[in-house]
């Protein structure tokens, strides 16, 4: 079965950086969109960034210029480099994968990991 395992979360001060990693295993499809979502306490889960198979990347407006999504070609690993972090970035961050949804729509969420906590204070 498909498994997504995130790592790299933690606590940082405002303005700091974190790099999240995700390893995807058991993925049976030939196409993949990979993404990061987050959910803050009391709020709905929201898409943060997505990357298509060709490397095209998409971001929600509030993280543009601060976050960078990347992936390993050939391996189903995806990363999220987060710079200039703000308290409003505090959330549980989830890695996601999807064989059908286009990355441009930030809707790649057919499979989700367990999440990793990011706290900015």
């Amino acid at each position: 079965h498909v498994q997504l395992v995130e790592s790299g979360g933690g606590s940082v001060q405002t303005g700091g950086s974190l790099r999240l990693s995700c390893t995807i295993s058991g993925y049976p499809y030939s196409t993949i969109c990979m993404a990061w979502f987050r959910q803050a306490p009391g709020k709905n889960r929201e898409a943060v960034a997505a990357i298509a198979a060709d490397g095209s990347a998409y971001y929600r407006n509030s993280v543009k210029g601060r976050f960078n999504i990347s992936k390993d070609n050939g391996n189903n690993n995806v990363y999220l480099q987060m710079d200039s972090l703000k308290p409003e970035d505090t959330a549980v961050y989830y890695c996601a994968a999807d064989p059908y949804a286009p990355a441009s729509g930030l809707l790649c969420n057919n499979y989700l990991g367990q999440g990793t906590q990011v706290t900015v204070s």
Side-chain angles (χ1 to χ4, degrees):
H1 63 283
V2 180
Q3 283 190 305
L4 296 85
V5 180
E6 304 96 338
S7 62
S11 297
V12 295
Q13 293 186 333
T14 298
S17 298
L18 283 173
R19 178 177 169 86
L20 305 182
S21 300
C22 175
T23 298
I24 305 171
S25 60
Y27 190 82
Y29 305 99
S30 60
T31 60
I32 186 169
C33 165
M34 293 183 281
W36 289 93
F37 286 74
R38 68 185 181 188
Q39 186 166 18
K43 295 187 177 182
N44 293 330
R45 189 169 61 220
E46 62 185 20
V48 176
I51 188 165
D54 67 359
S56 299
Y58 305 87
Y59 301 91
R60 71 179 302 106
N61 287 338
S62 62
V63 307
K64 284 181 180 177
R66 299 189 299 121
F67 290 12
N68 184 70
I69 188 171
S70 61
K71 65 183 180 73
D72 280 338
N73 287 327
N75 296 311
N76 285 338
N77 295 332
V78 62
Y79 309 96
L80 186 68
Q81 177 67 39
M82 304 185 294
D83 298 322
S84 302
L85 282 161
K86 304 176 180 180
E88 51 263 44
D89 295 318
T90 294
V92 177
Y93 282 70
Y94 299 89
C95 174
D98 197 302
Y100 307 118
S104 58
L106 294 176
L107 294 173
C108 308
N109 61 357
N110 198 32
Y111 300 99
L112 285 176
Q114 293 299 307
T116 184
Q117 177 70 45
V118 171
T119 302
V120 186
S121 59

